[in-house]
Amino acid sequence: MEKFHWRVHSLVRRTNTIFGFGWLFHEDSEIAVLSLLLSFSARTCAIRAEHGKARTDVQQAYPCHRLALNSGFILYGGCPTDLGDMTGADLVGTLENGDAFELQLPAGCPRDLDQPATEASRKWLLLQAGMMLKRGWGLVRQGQLSNLVDQARRFLGQRGTFPHGSVSEVIAEVMSVTPARIVLVIDHDLGGGANQYSSALVAEKIRRGAAVLLLSYKVHTLSHVLLLSSRKANRRYTIHGTEFILDLAREIPLDEITYNTAVSFAKPEEIPQLIAKLKRIGNPRLTMLLHEYFMLCPSHFLLNDQGEFCGLPERGRCQTCLDTNQQGYATLFLARNMQQWRALWGSALSLADEIVTFSNSSGMLLSRAYPGLDLSRVSVTPHTAKHVRLQPVQAAYVASLRIGVVGHIAYHKGAKIVRELAREILRRKSDIKIVVFGTLDASCDPAVVQVTGSYKQARLPALIRERGANTFLFPSICPETFSYVVQELMGFGLPVACLDLGAPPERLRDYSKGQVLADHSAASVLDALIDLHRRVYLSD
């Protein structure tokens, strides 16, 4: 194991749920699969990790090792066995060369957030703090202050708790602002387009005089959080679960409920039950938004147990898949019963006054999962890109193909597609380059792939010109419900290609510089991009 280098910065648990992050790489071979293996007296439980996330600090610490950059991992999931009976925890996996590995975690890891710190867990935390101080001093000496901030957030994020609120305290706070209406919004805390949408929604409700209660879930601390916002108040509370919301609604009935998304909530099956109970209490207006496919399947990107778009097969195949599916946050639904999942969410959907989808393809998938759904309550309302200033962008270099990819490209966003595309370019000994404007959860040859890292939205047009990208690929392997990225690139007037999945093809088929790719193999994708570049820039 001498060629493995790794650290676990945080690994915490509460009841049956575990969250952790860190980094791991092997000097000679990429990590193909990484999981946390929990051992019990009579069985084991594995929680798959998302590996391949960029860690520039690790790259700086190990400058001679190419695989150090994409060594970051995050793991989050549920285990049906009582974690209090755990006898050991290991990081296990397989290298790309086929070799298996197992790395034993120290005593006191994972740490139980519901129990006082033990001597072993205190030693673990001191060890992590010491490593953070050492790494922080190195970053200060190198002038890498932004990286230091990122590292501090990684380490301290789990500690960011809010005061515990009582029902009476929240009621008093709400009534003190004499709101015109009381609105409950249910939303995750993961960032991205769904959070942008809910932030604008909350701001608009407040502008109209409402008090907004936002129920969210803080993954770092494995706890429910309630945010109270109005013209006069802005409070955050840690609460003990969804029952708190029911107690609140019995005293101050809600006027509206907006379900934005519950992706990442522990015990996610409680959310449709909460919605149904709240409807019975005061019959508030209920709007349910389809930002992803969580209401259809615990694997909210509709990726099956093989990591591919499932196409929503018949119920029996769904159950077989869900039994072993580790995609996204599927393991948080401990019952792993598709019939139960669809029954719970189907009941909530049947109570909705309005169901909003953001593309026709999303609506079709919704009706396929729930064929008895009243479609008269379903509206298709595409997003607008008001948060982005759309302007024509002239590519600075068009003589040969320079592929652009925009976003935080994790597995479901097409990291594997980008990696295989880079390998195909190398195989052909081509001078084609790829520029990722954002992040990429995959190791690629830097001679072919450049990665800018995170950037401010307003900087994207300038970055495109500076890096010479001229033809863009949207490589997502899941059926996107909309895609702000595709809308933005079309607004820039740039050529864009996407896989034939979800909402993006609806717009790109009618876009003069668009291309929809039926064949997802690297060779076919590259040929299509070469043709698109030639058609847009080199044809007379």
Side-chain angles (χ1 to χ4, degrees):
M1 294 298 174
E2 66 277 1
K3 290 194 173 184
F4 281 94
H5 304 274
W6 60 288
R7 290 286 185 275
V8 177
H9 294 305
S10 174
L11 191 60
V12 294
R13 66 182 176 93
R14 175 167 277 138
T15 59
N16 294 81
T17 309
I18 285 187
F19 169 78
F21 62 93
W23 57 268
L24 181 153
F25 73 91
H26 185 272
E27 292 180 3
D28 302 326
S29 182
E30 293 187 27
I31 306 295
V33 178
L34 178 66
S35 298
L36 174 69
L37 183 68
L38 306 175
S39 299
F40 305 88
S41 57
R43 60 163 294 178
T44 59
C45 175
I47 297 174
R48 189 161 179 168
E50 295 181 20
H51 186 271
K53 300 185 179 301
R55 288 293 299 264
T56 55
D57 60 313
V58 180
Q59 181 189 44
Q60 290 161 2
Y62 297 88
C64 297
H65 297 293
R66 180 181 66 86
L67 299 177
L69 174 59
N70 290 97
S71 61
F73 70 82
I74 294 176
L75 60 90
Y76 179 46
C79 178
T81 304
D82 184 353
L83 296 178
D85 298 330
M86 188 170 54
T87 58
D90 304 274
L91 289 175
V92 301
T94 308
L95 299 177
E96 204 169 64
N97 64 16
D99 291 346
F101 63 88
E102 182 172 334
L103 304 168
Q104 186 176 11
L105 295 178
C109 185
R111 181 168 63 95
D112 188 347
L113 295 176
D114 288 326
Q115 299 295 328
T118 63
E119 184 64 26
S121 64
R122 279 193 290 268
K123 287 180 179 179
W124 172 257
L125 289 172
L126 286 172
L127 176 63
Q128 304 311 307
M131 289 189 297
M132 173 57 67
L133 289 172
K134 182 179 179 181
R135 180 72 66 242
W137 176 240
L139 292 172
V140 168
R141 286 189 301 171
Q142 298 169 32
Q144 301 287 332
L145 295 182
S146 61
N147 282 339
L148 175 59
V149 171
D150 288 343
Q151 288 301 294
R153 283 174 179 164
R154 285 192 185 103
F155 183 68
L156 297 174
Q158 61 172 314
R159 291 168 153 71
T161 58
F162 306 119
H164 283 273
S166 67
V167 172
S168 59
E169 182 180 359
V170 176
I171 291 172
E173 193 69 54
V174 171
M175 299 314 294
S176 70
V177 299
T178 59
R181 298 176 69 78
I182 301 173
V183 179
L184 173 69
V185 176
I186 300 171
D187 194 16
H188 67 39
D189 188 34
L190 302 177
N195 280 169
Q196 290 178 7
Y197 187 98
S198 67
S199 294
L201 176 71
V202 169
E204 177 61 20
K205 297 292 185 184
I206 292 171
R207 188 186 68 79
R208 295 186 178 184
V212 179
L213 297 166
L214 193 151
L215 173 64
S216 191
Y217 191 81
K218 193 171 179 62
V219 172
H220 285 83
T221 57
L222 303 177
S223 57
H224 291 83
V225 175
L226 184 66
L227 290 73
L228 166 61
S229 301
S230 70
R231 290 176 179 174
K232 300 178 181 178
N234 190 8
R235 302 280 188 273
R236 294 180 178 229
Y237 307 95
T238 298
I239 61 175
H240 290 295
T242 56
E243 191 66 33
F244 185 99
I245 304 299
L246 290 172
D247 292 341
L248 200 62
R250 292 184 185 104
E251 300 297 326
I252 48 169
L254 304 170
D255 296 291
E256 300 176 33
I257 301 172
T258 297
Y259 169 82
N260 204 53
T261 177
V263 168
S264 82
F265 279 59
K267 299 180 181 178
E269 67 276 11
E270 292 182 349
I271 298 302
Q273 297 177 74
L274 171 66
I275 289 171
K277 291 173 182 177
L278 290 173
K279 255 300 206 181
R280 287 196 290 270
I281 290 174
N283 195 31
R285 175 176 174 77
L286 172 61
T287 303
M288 300 189 72
L289 307 170
L290 199 71
H291 286 291
E292 24 55 28
Y293 300 102
F294 201 47
M295 291 182 280
L296 283 61
C297 178
S299 178
H300 63 287
F301 296 126
L302 296 184
L303 297 181
N304 63 19
D305 49 355
Q306 302 302 309
E308 300 171 348
F309 172 49
C310 68
L312 284 180
E314 51 84 23
R315 188 73 60 87
R317 171 64 189 124
C318 282
Q319 182 57 57
T320 302
C321 170
L322 188 57
D323 286 339
T324 57
N325 198 317
Q326 293 254 337
Q327 298 296 326
Y329 307 111
T331 62
L332 295 175
F333 179 46
L334 300 178
R336 297 227 168 195
N337 184 309
M338 182 58 76
Q339 183 174 354
Q340 178 186 350
W341 185 266
R342 291 271 175 87
L344 289 170
W345 284 103
S347 295
L349 285 164
S350 70
L351 297 171
D353 297 282
E354 183 179 17
I355 302 164
V356 179
T357 70
F358 304 102
S359 63
N360 291 315
S361 66
S362 296
M364 288 189 288
L365 288 170
L366 178 67
S367 61
R368 187 183 305 174
Y370 298 100
L373 190 65
D374 179 5
L375 297 182
S376 68
R377 293 178 293 114
V378 179
S379 62
V380 180
T381 310
H383 292 294
T384 59
K386 291 181 180 179
H387 64 292
V388 178
R389 182 185 175 189
L390 297 180
Q391 55 184 325
V393 175
Q394 291 294 121
Y397 174 83
V398 299
S400 62
L401 175 61
R402 294 292 181 268
I403 302 166
V405 178
V406 176
H408 297 293
I409 311 302
Y411 177 82
H412 69 282
K413 290 290 187 180
K416 185 178 179 181
I417 295 274
V418 176
R419 185 184 67 179
E420 295 305 314
L421 193 61
R423 290 177 176 177
E424 179 66 15
I425 290 169
L426 284 171
R427 190 189 67 79
R428 297 186 188 188
K429 298 180 180 179
S430 170
D431 66 349
I432 294 170
K433 308 296 182 188
I434 301 173
V435 182
V436 177
F437 298 92
T439 59
L440 176 65
D441 289 3
S443 295
C444 296
D445 193 318
V448 176
V449 180
Q450 304 171 32
V451 181
T452 68
S454 298
Y455 59 88
K456 291 186 177 180
Q457 194 73 45
R459 278 276 296 153
L460 183 56
L463 283 172
I464 290 172
R465 288 188 289 265
E466 290 169 10
R467 299 299 180 108
N470 51 45
T471 304
F472 285 77
L473 172 66
F474 184 73
S476 179
I477 63 170
C478 65
E480 300 280 342
T481 58
F482 180 73
S483 177
Y484 282 110
V485 167
V486 169
Q487 188 78 355
E488 188 175 7
L489 292 172
M490 289 172 61
F492 291 159
L494 294 165
V496 187
C498 75
L499 307 187
D500 193 8
L501 295 169
E506 293 181 14
R507 283 164 285 157
L508 289 182
R509 284 196 177 94
D510 297 325
Y511 177 51
S512 63
K513 299 178 183 179
Q515 180 77 36
V516 178
L517 310 174
D519 188 338
H520 301 175
S521 68
S524 179
V525 170
L526 184 56
D527 288 340
L529 290 171
I530 291 170
D531 289 343
L532 178 59
H533 169 265
R534 184 182 297 119
R535 171 165 65 86
V536 172
Y537 295 111
L538 304 181
S539 61
D540 294 330

